[in-house]
Amino acid sequence: MSVLRPATARDLDAISDLLGRCYPVLLAADYPADLLAEALPAMTRAQPALVATGTYHVIDDGVHLLAAGGWTRMAPGGDAVTPGTGHIRHLAVDPTQARRGLGRRLMSHVLAEAASEGMVRLDCLSTRTAVPFYRSLGFIVRGPVAVSMGAGLSFPSVAMTRP
C-alpha cells in the first residue's frame, strides 16, 4: 500500500535518489546523451526550499519513494508571484512504477490542493517526455522554452498551462 504525503526535510536524500533513478531513464529517448550528462547533476538534486513549501509531496511504499512532485506560488527560478497562478514543480515517478497511475494520483492531489488555495491557473515547465502526460491532465502547450541550468547550460523544455 502506498501513501501520499507532504515531503519533509528527512525525504531530501530519497527524493534525490528518486530523481536520479527517474530522469536518466525516462528522458533518454527525447534528449541527447551529452546534454543529459551535463544537465542531470542539477536536475537530480532535491531542492530543500521546494520541500519546505509544504506543497511538495511524495508517494512512498514504506521503503522507497515511488513518486514526488508539487506546486508553488513562486515560479521556478524565484520569479515574482502572480496572484492566482501556481507552478508545477519537479515531478518524477520511479521508472519501474511508470504508467501505473502514481503520477496521475499525485497530480490529482496537487491540482486539488492548488485550487483550494485559490490558484485559477497552473503553469508548468515540462520536459519533452512529459508533454503527453500533462496534456492528459488538461494542460495546453504554450511553446518551447530553454530552461537555464547555470554555467551556460540551457535545457530544452516546453511551457504549458492549465486554466
Side-chain angles (χ1 to χ4, degrees):
M1 182 72 156
S2 60
V3 175
L4 190 156
R5 61 178 175 77
T8 69
R10 291 185 305 264
D11 294 314
L12 288 170
D13 288 341
I15 292 168
S16 291
D17 182 60
L18 171 66
L19 298 172
R21 291 191 316 269
C22 173
Y23 292 154
V25 173
L26 297 179
L27 301 182
D30 296 302
Y31 294 95
D34 59 335
L35 175 62
L36 287 176
E38 284 188 76
L40 286 173
M43 293 174 69
T44 59
R45 194 171 340 125
Q47 300 173 24
L50 180 56
V51 169
T53 64
T55 58
Y56 193 77
H57 305 280
V58 296
I59 297 176
D60 73 57
D61 66 2
V63 178
H64 299 100
L65 291 188
L66 305 176
W71 70 279
T72 59
R73 293 176 192 278
M74 186 172 291
D79 291 343
V81 172
T82 301
T85 299
H87 303 273
I88 301 300
R89 304 290 302 275
H90 228 175
L91 179 67
V93 175
D94 187 300
T96 67
Q97 302 298 311
R99 304 210 185 294
R100 295 186 182 179
L102 291 173
R104 185 167 299 280
R105 177 179 168 201
L106 180 60
M107 283 302 298
S108 293
H109 177 81
V110 166
L111 294 171
E113 181 181 75
S116 76
E117 292 291 325
M119 299 302 108
V120 296
R121 172 180 151 168
L122 287 171
D123 289 343
C124 174
L125 296 175
S126 174
T127 62
R128 294 170 179 159
T129 308
V131 168
F133 172 73
Y134 286 116
R135 275 191 175 137
S136 78
L137 295 170
F139 284 81
I140 57 172
V141 171
R142 290 193 344 242
V145 294
V147 174
S148 174
M149 304 197 79
L153 178 63
S154 291
F155 194 79
S157 301
V158 180
M160 301 185 78
T161 194
R162 183 181 192 268

